[in-house]
Amino acid sequence: MLDAARLREDFPILKRLVRGKPLVYLDNAATTQKPRQVISALASFYERHNANVHRGVHTLSDEATQLVEDSRRKTAAFIGAPKPQTVIFTRNATESINLVAHAWGRKFLKAGDEILLTELEHHSNLVPWQMLAAEKGVSLRFIPMREDGTLDLERAQALLSPKTKLLAFTAASNALGTLNDVPALVRLARGAGAKVLVDGAQWVPHLAVDVRAWDCDFLAFSAHKMLGPTGIGVLYGKEDLLEAMNPFLGGGDMIQQVRLEGFTANVLPYKFEAGTPNIADAAAFGAALDYLGAVGLAAVREHEAALVRKAFEVLESVPRLTIYGPRDVSRRGGVVSFNFDGLHAHDVGTALDLEGIAVRVGHHCCQPLMAKLGVPGTARASFYLYNTEEEVEALGRALRKTADFFFGAKAEAKR
Ligand code: 7TS
C-alpha cells in the first residue's frame, strides 16, 4: 500500500492555496507535479554540472554526458527495453510519434498502404498520420469505440489486411481512462504483418510496462506526466527498425562524418538526437524514475484504482451528472470524465477552481472521440500517487454545490 500522505510531503506545490483553499490537483493526465527530488536534481545540474554533452573532454562535459546516459539506462530498465540505445530522448510523446511518422513512415510507406488507428486517439497520435497520409497517399482506418469507451476488437480484425502496415493506438485513453488490451491488439497486428506503435503517454506513468512482453515496435511517452520535467519525451523502438529508419532532424550530434557532398548518420540513439539535447531535464528525469521505482507502479496502480472506485461512489450521488468510459475499474486508469446535464464543461471547471480544485475541461485533444460521444467536451479529474480519498470527497462536495447553484431544487427532483 502506498502512503499518499507521506508522499505528499515531497511535493512542495501541494502545500499551495488556490483561491484561499488547499489546492486539490486533479489534472495529472495533463501534467503531474514534481517532487523536490526532481526539482533538486534540476537545480543541482545547473549548480554543479552544467556543460554540453558528448563534446568536451573536460570534467563537466563528462559529468553532463554521464547524467543523461544514466537517465537513458534508467528509462530502458523502467520499460524493459533490451538496450539503452533503443531509447531516444525527444521533447515529448508528440515528437516521438512525429519522429516515427517522418523517419519510418516516409521511408517505408507508399500509396495504397493503410495505417490502422482507433477512435480513442489523442490528436498527437492522429494528426501526424493524417499529415503522412496526405503526403504519401496512405489511407487511415479506425478501430471503432463502443458506447462504454472500450475498443471493438472484433471490428479491428476485419479492418486489418495485408495492406495494413502500421497499427498505432493509445494504451490508455486520456479522455475516458479506458485501458486497452495491448497484447490482444499487438497479436492482431502481427497476424496482418503490421508494425505496432503504442502511445504510452497515459500508461507508462501509471502501470508497469515491459516492451519485450508487449512486443511492440515503438512506444512513445512524456516525462512530464510521470513526475519528470517538461521538455523530455521518450521514443523506444526495436533496434533493427531504428537502424533501418532515416534520421529525423539533421545537424550536430546525429552524424558520424560530414563532407560537403553528404553525411553518414551516427549510431543509435544519437542518429535521432540532432543538436544540443535537453540535458538538464534529461538528467532530472532520472530522479523521477528513481522516485517512481521506489514507490513501485503496482502500488501506484492499486492506489489509483481505489481513488477511481471512490470517485464512482461519490460522483454517482451527484444529481444530473453523466460519467463517461468503462464502469469496470479494472478496464480504466485513474481518469474520470463527466458532464452535468445541460452545463458547459468550462462552467464546471470554473466552479471547481473556485474551490481550489484543478481539473481539465474541453475536448482533451480528442475531438473525434468527443464527436462520437456527441459532446463538445467533458470535465476530467485525473489522479496520481499523491491524491487522496479526501480530495475525491472534496470534488464530490464541490460538484454537489455546483449542482445546487445551477439547478437548485430542480436538481434533486431530477435524480
Ligand atoms: N498521447 C496521449 C494519450 C496523451 O494523453 C497526450 C497528452 C499525448 C499523447 C501528448 O503528450 P505531450 O506530452 O506530447 O503533449 N495528453 C494531455 C491531456 O490529456 N491533457 O493535456 C495533455
Side-chain angles (χ1 to χ4, degrees):
M1 262 311 252
L2 162 167
D3 184 352
R6 190 177 60 75
L7 296 182
R8 290 176 73 83
E9 293 297 313
D10 292 330
F11 292 79
I13 207 169
L14 297 180
K15 297 200 167 49
R16 241 204 89 154
L17 298 181
V18 167
R19 297 180 182 271
K21 312 244 163 82
L23 166 66
V24 174
Y25 186 77
L26 302 180
D27 195 15
N28 294 288
T31 199
T32 60
Q33 299 303 345
K34 321 302 173 200
R36 60 186 161 68
Q37 290 84 340
V38 170
I39 300 167
S40 317
L42 196 54
S44 146
F45 176 80
Y46 284 120
E47 284 172 5
R48 299 180 45 80
H49 308 291
N50 181 48
N52 211 327
V53 291
H54 314 135
R55 287 166 201 220
V57 290
H58 64 80
T59 301
L60 294 191
S61 174
D62 247 12
E63 288 173 5
T65 305
Q66 269 313 315
L67 285 165
V68 172
E69 295 312 320
D70 282 351
S71 288
R72 196 188 306 279
R73 273 189 293 277
K74 287 175 189 175
T75 308
F78 197 81
I79 61 170
K83 294 182 183 172
Q85 61 265 38
T86 58
V87 167
I88 318 287
F89 283 136
T90 61
R91 276 190 307 142
N92 46 38
T94 303
E95 187 174 283
S96 300
I97 296 169
N98 277 275
L99 192 164
V100 177
H102 279 259
W104 178 81
R106 275 177 153 176
K107 180 166 181 185
F108 292 107
L109 298 190
K110 56 182 190 320
D113 287 343
E114 292 180 2
I115 297 174
L116 184 57
L117 306 169
T118 88
E119 290 181 344
L120 286 175
E121 299 314 308
H122 187 281
H123 298 162
S124 293
N125 196 31
L126 172 57
V127 178
W129 306 117
Q130 291 174 334
M131 290 162 72
L132 183 71
E135 183 185 320
K136 304 284 289 188
V138 167
S139 311
L140 304 183
R141 311 193 98 200
F142 299 92
I143 303 176
M145 178 183 85
R146 296 201 204 92
E147 217 166 281
D148 68 351
T150 60
L151 289 177
D152 187 341
L153 291 194
E154 276 150 41
R155 288 288 303 287
Q157 179 74 65
L159 287 164
L160 283 156
S161 79
K163 288 191 197 161
T164 317
K165 295 296 184 274
L166 176 72
L167 168 60
F169 63 94
T170 189
S173 156
N174 65 311
L176 300 178
T178 315
L179 297 179
N180 287 323
D181 187 343
V182 178
L185 282 157
V186 174
R187 264 196 310 279
L188 282 171
R190 293 284 175 244
K195 302 283 184 248
V196 178
L197 178 143
V198 179
D199 175 351
Q202 299 291 348
W203 181 292
V204 178
H206 306 277
L207 294 108
V209 46
D210 181 336
V211 289
R212 273 175 299 193
W214 274 359
D215 189 35
C216 54
D217 296 291
F218 300 105
L219 174 70
F221 57 100
S222 289
H224 71 91
K225 293 186 198 289
M226 48 195 297
L227 309 180
T230 47
I232 280 288
V234 174
L235 174 68
Y236 156 80
K238 280 191 177 161
E239 191 175 12
D240 56 335
L241 273 172
L242 293 174
E243 291 285 6
M245 281 154 64
N246 283 336
F248 176 36
L249 302 173
D253 280 355
M254 53 70 70
I255 50 83
Q256 210 145 48
Q257 205 190 20
V258 182
R259 287 151 281 104
L260 287 178
E261 301 74 29
F263 71 95
T264 49
N266 206 342
V267 294
L268 294 174
Y270 311 113
K271 171 179 162 184
F272 295 110
E273 294 182 356
T276 299
N278 185 349
I279 307 166
D281 293 313
F285 181 38
L289 292 166
D290 289 343
Y291 192 96
L292 275 179
V295 175
L297 284 178
V300 171
R301 167 65 183 151
E302 193 191 346
H303 180 70
E304 289 180 13
L307 293 176
V308 171
R309 267 191 292 275
K310 178 81 183 171
F312 272 118
E313 207 180 289
V314 167
L315 299 196
E316 277 171 353
S317 71
V318 177
R320 297 206 192 193
L321 199 79
T322 302
I323 304 173
Y324 301 99
R327 183 64 185 80
D328 177 356
V329 175
S330 71
R331 298 295 308 270
R332 63 152 75 220
V335 170
V336 181
S337 239
F338 51 86
N339 267 329
F340 274 115
D341 236 9
L343 268 194
H344 200 286
H346 278 88
D347 294 331
V348 180
T350 306
L352 292 178
D353 185 57
L354 290 172
E355 303 296 322
I357 301 174
V359 298
R360 183 171 172 188
V361 297
H363 53 63
H364 313 297
C365 301
C366 294
Q367 287 180 355
L369 191 163
M370 294 295 137
K372 179 103 182 197
L373 291 179
V375 296
T378 70
R380 178 191 70 183
S382 53
F383 307 124
Y384 210 21
L385 41 77
Y386 39 66
N387 290 123
T388 64
E389 299 215 342
E390 292 73 46
E391 289 182 313
V392 178
E393 279 161 8
L395 173 68
R397 276 195 304 279
L399 288 173
R400 267 189 294 276
K401 192 166 161 187
T402 308
D404 283 348
F405 178 79
F406 283 105
F407 309 126
K410 284 182 297 182
E412 283 304 311
K414 277 263 185 170
R415 278 179 72 174

